[in-house]
Amino acid sequence: MKKIVLTAVLLFIGAVSFAQTADELKAEKAAKKDSIAAIQGRLGAIQAKLDAMPGWKKGAFGTIGGSISSFNNWYAQGTPNNNSGNIGFTVNAFANLKEEKFFWRNSANVNLAWVKLDDKDTDADSEKFEGTTDVFTITSLYGHKLSEKFAISGLAEYRTTILNNFNNPGYLDLGVGATWTPIQDLVVVIHPLNYNFVFSDNDTVFESSLGAKIVADYTRKIGAVNFKSNLSIFQSYKSSDLSNLTWTNSFGYTLWKMIGVGFDFGLRSNKQEALNYALGQYDATAVPAQTVPDFKNVDNKLQTYWMLGLNYAF
């Protein structure tokens, strides 16, 4: 009986001690969390002051994604024996100069992806990785400040593909107007005088024209999160058929050291590209006869892409 009582007392004492220890540890953890939050707040304030200082600010982050697979005698699909793989990457880089009277902002966005399907039952398929996603954009914006939020500015923006049909088409926007920076990381460009040069072998579809250019760019790093969103719009004064819009977005979340998870997606509307593609699919020998595509009947579907993969912050 004495042993049972002694054991019960010891267990009770141990439970009370554990409860006290757990409560103490929780209290200590809460105090450390408060300390970490205070430190992060101070670091954020210091970083904000550094960002506001004159001089160059440079940075880059990107996403890489890929997969491989192999099937043998998987009869439920059209190609039961195959090896396949895909890989893609995105790089967002910037170099911005900020001075008391002017600024010069430069950025580049590259998004490339390849895919390969090897059908083991035939030798007629391609042995190469075929390009799928193909985006290349570089931008340079110079502004002379009228105030902290407004500036007279000049913009040069070049967009094309580099894996296939480099500079065919290629778009070069050159224009002047005003730039508005309502907050530190947001830049809004409004250029009513802009010429959109279009380079292409197909001069019957692609045409250069004068118009207005609007660009909105938001680039921000908050703790472990990198974020960039860029909207670029050209509105042609000659015809809405020559207008275009591109919106790209990149997110990166750092999980360990410089490695994390990244997600990219983009939208584009470009009637000239839609017509050029439709003409490439046109078959004049088809029965019944097809209607020749033109700007009036072409189906200008919204172009989209997205990619999810590992992220590396430089």
Side-chain angles (χ1 to χ4, degrees):
M1 185 66 178
K2 289 181 179 180
K3 290 183 178 180
I4 296 175
V5 172
L6 181 59
T7 301
V9 170
L10 291 174
L11 290 173
F12 176 76
I13 293 173
V16 171
S17 300
F18 176 79
Q20 290 176 338
T21 301
D23 290 340
E24 291 171 356
L25 289 173
K26 289 179 180 179
E28 184 179 353
K29 180 180 178 182
K32 289 186 180 297
K33 279 187 174 180
D34 292 340
S35 299
I36 292 172
I39 293 171
Q40 288 177 337
R42 292 195 296 271
L43 289 175
I46 293 172
Q47 186 62 50
K49 292 180 180 179
L50 289 173
D51 292 338
M53 292 179 65
W56 283 99
K57 303 292 188 300
K58 303 175 184 178
F61 70 97
T63 300
I64 182 168
S67 68
I68 57 174
S69 64
S70 179
F71 289 87
N72 291 293
N73 304 320
W74 198 264
Y75 297 117
Q77 61 188 15
T79 309
N81 302 292
N82 74 77
N83 293 321
S84 65
N86 67 77
I87 185 170
F89 70 89
T90 300
V91 176
N92 293 283
F94 66 89
N96 300 329
L97 174 62
K98 181 179 180 180
E99 297 293 346
E100 182 180 356
K101 296 295 184 180
F102 69 92
F103 60 80
W104 184 24
R105 303 177 62 91
N106 303 277
S107 65
N109 171 256
V110 183
N111 190 326
L112 306 175
W114 299 262
V115 64
K116 178 180 179 181
L117 176 63
D118 177 21
D119 186 348
K120 302 176 186 177
D121 297 326
T122 179
D123 295 327
D125 57 348
S126 176
E127 295 294 327
K128 302 184 298 182
F129 276 85
E130 303 293 340
T132 52
T133 304
D134 195 350
V135 179
F136 178 79
T137 304
I138 55 174
T139 302
S140 184
L141 174 68
Y142 176 86
H144 180 77
K145 295 181 181 179
L146 300 177
S147 67
E148 281 302 313
K149 295 185 181 297
F150 291 94
I152 300 173
S153 57
L155 173 72
E157 180 185 83
Y158 177 69
R159 309 183 309 280
T160 187
T161 56
I162 57 178
L163 295 180
N164 298 300
N165 303 319
F166 175 72
N167 205 40
N168 183 30
Y171 305 90
L172 174 63
D173 280 288
L174 295 175
V176 293
T179 294
W180 177 43
T181 52
I183 57 178
Q184 182 173 315
D185 301 298
L186 175 62
V187 178
V188 180
V189 179
I190 304 173
H191 285 180
L193 186 60
N194 182 93
Y195 200 84
N196 179 235
F197 295 91
V198 185
F199 310 100
S200 173
D201 295 337
N202 190 349
D203 295 333
T204 61
V205 173
F206 294 98
E207 183 179 350
S208 303
S209 65
L210 183 69
K213 184 73 174 182
I214 298 175
V215 176
D217 185 274
Y218 186 73
T219 304
R220 182 87 185 269
K221 181 177 182 180
I222 307 175
V225 178
N226 283 292
F227 172 76
K228 180 179 178 64
S229 182
N230 182 276
L231 175 65
S232 178
I233 302 172
F234 172 72
Q235 181 62 49
S236 174
Y237 292 145
K238 184 175 183 178
S239 170
S240 60
D241 294 334
L242 306 180
S243 303
N244 58 72
L245 176 153
T246 301
W247 183 33
T248 58
N249 299 270
S250 297
F251 304 87
Y253 181 74
T254 304
L255 298 173
W256 177 73
K257 293 187 177 181
M258 307 298 283
I259 300 174
V261 177
F263 178 68
D264 296 80
F265 76 90
L267 308 174
R268 175 177 288 174
S269 176
N270 191 315
K271 204 168 187 178
Q272 294 179 93
E273 292 180 353
L275 178 57
N276 187 58
Y277 177 78
L279 288 171
Q281 305 301 307
Y282 173 71
D283 184 1
T285 64
V287 179
Q290 297 179 346
T291 302
V292 180
D294 58 24
F295 279 122
K296 293 181 179 179
N297 60 36
V298 68
D299 187 6
N300 183 25
K301 296 180 179 179
L302 183 66
Q303 305 174 44
T304 66
Y305 73 83
W306 66 269
M307 183 171 69
L308 177 67
L310 293 177
N311 174 271
Y312 188 84
F314 299 94

